Amino acid sequence: MKRTLAQSLVLILLGSAASASQFYCKVNSIQALSASGTLTENDMTKVDKDLLGTLSYDEDTGFLNVGSIRWQLKTIQAGTAENSLLATRMIYGPARAVMQTLRIETFSTNAFLFTWDGEVWTGTCIEK
């Protein structure tokens, strides 16, 4: 049976949507870039970790949930057995731009790294 282009695209989209994952992550460390150029824990990062100790990411929708905050990132590389999941978001303000980057090592232990505005968050995720 021959398929039309539209039918083939629907099958591709349905197949890719079915493979998307949701990740639930525990934050083990939050560090900020210090004036000396090193990553350090400070009073603000301690408060962030206490208040925002978990995050979740939906690979299909791109929603990153941190506490009551929801950001929409763009998945630029799907997580596989060979590659990390990579997602990013650019925020353009009147004075500066801020980039958010999420990396989940789906090929090994589901360790994650989330960077934004001079902070680096690390921990581990479970995939559902």
Side-chain angles (χ1 to χ4, degrees), residues 27 29-49 113-122:
V27 178
S29 173
I30 300 177
Q31 297 185 334
L33 184 61
S34 70
S36 65
T38 61
L39 291 172
T40 59
E41 188 176 61
N42 60 35
D43 291 340
M44 189 57 151
T45 61
K46 289 177 188 175
V47 169
D48 283 350
K49 185 174 179 288
L113 173 80
F114 175 61
T115 63
W116 77 295
D117 202 23
E119 287 188 352
V120 177
W121 300 29
T122 58

Side-chain angles (χ1 to χ4, degrees), residues 32-105:
L33 184 61
S34 70
S36 65
T38 61
L39 291 172
T40 59
E41 188 176 61
N42 60 35
D43 291 340
M44 189 57 151
T45 61
K46 289 177 188 175
V47 169
D48 283 350
K49 185 174 179 288
D50 289 342
L51 291 176
L52 309 169
T54 61
L55 60 88
S56 64
Y57 184 69
D58 185 318
E59 190 175 13
D60 186 37
T61 65
F63 285 127
L64 176 67
N65 298 295
V66 181
S68 62
I69 302 166
R70 175 180 267 193
W71 292 304
Q72 181 142 28
L73 280 64
K74 178 175 175 53
T75 300
I76 56 175
Q77 178 173 284
T80 67
E82 294 83 27
N83 294 305
S84 293
L85 176 143
L86 298 173
T88 188
R89 175 179 179 229
M90 286 296 298
I91 306 159
Y92 297 98
R96 65 187 179 125
V98 175
M99 181 176 205
Q100 295 175 323
T101 304
L102 175 65
R103 175 189 181 105
I104 301 174
E105 293 187 346

